[in-house]
Amino acid sequence: ARQALQDSQALIERIFMAVPIPLVVSAVADGSFLRVNDAAVRYLGEPGATDLNGRTMVDCIGIEDRRDVMADLDQRGRIDALEVSLRDGNSRRRDAVITAASLPIGSMRAVVAGIVDITERKAAEAHTRWQATHDALTGLPNRLLFQERLIEALRSRAEGIVALFLVDLDDFKSINDTLGHAVGDELLVAVGERLARGLQPGEFVARLGGDEFVVIVRLPGGVDEAAAKAELLLSALREPFPGAQVC
């Protein structure tokens, strides 16, 4: 029976160490690591480390996320899937999902946790979202994001009016026809950059498509201030555009 128990414990240890996701057992009191597997050492340890001696969960997870972890453990004794921000052994910020459960060890309160890194997945999601809401040529927000921001602006109870400035480039087709589409694209990019440079914090510019742009501005001064803002935008666009030979 004793041999069977030892064999069972050895098997559990081998399984724990071989699991490909980071597994840690840490003390709740100070966050010290009581047991970690090889994947955890590779993920949370410094380059070349063979253990996590000298590091604690406090070093790896921010204070706000620690509060969320403790709140779940205190209320339910477990964490089903909590998204947190971690610092790995190279001090790089990583996005991860933690699944954990309370694990009493004698009189000590501990927690066993599995860590799944989702950094690349979140980056891919953010990139997909950016592509869906931005114009590929100018990098400006597109019609979809413009509609979202316009709804937000109209629903806001902030003081003042919401002003929309629609910018359409006169005779843009002739530029494409005479100078070529490459020059036309350069002009669109330059126009977008000038409009963006003329904005104040909280103001918004988007490309609706073709040669059409739109600017959203909240103005506490009303119509007169809107007219002045329009003149500023037009003045920026009246300056010659280097290379395109248009103004």
Side-chain angles (χ1 to χ4, degrees), residues 88-182:
D88 65 13
N90 292 306
S91 296
R92 296 173 302 188
R93 180 187 175 278
R94 309 290 296 181
D95 295 307
V97 170
I98 290 181
T99 302
S102 295
L103 179 69
I105 301 178
S107 61
M108 179 186 299
R109 186 184 178 198
V111 58
V112 58
I115 303 170
V116 177
D117 190 280
I118 60 170
T119 306
E120 284 71 27
R121 189 191 81 190
K122 289 200 66 174
E125 290 173 351
H127 181 64
T128 300
R129 168 65 179 171
W130 190 93
Q131 288 182 313
T133 57
H134 287 75
D135 173 55
L137 176 64
T138 63
L140 292 176
N142 61 13
R143 183 183 296 270
L144 175 62
L145 189 52
F146 157 69
Q147 292 172 339
E148 292 178 2
R149 293 296 176 85
L150 178 59
I151 291 173
E152 291 175 3
L154 294 176
R155 287 177 175 173
S156 173
R157 296 184 178 181
E159 181 182 356
I161 64 170
V162 175
L164 292 183
F165 302 93
L166 300 178
V167 180
D168 181 90
L169 305 184
D170 292 339
D171 298 323
F172 179 73
K173 184 178 182 300
S174 66
I175 295 173
N176 277 336
D177 292 342
T178 58
L179 300 178
H181 287 277

Side-chain angles (χ1 to χ4, degrees), residues 5-23:
L5 178 60
Q6 291 175 346
D7 291 344
S8 177
Q9 291 173 335
L11 177 60
I12 292 173
E13 174 66 12
R14 289 198 300 272
I15 294 173
F16 178 82
M17 297 303 293
V19 171
I21 68 169
L23 296 178

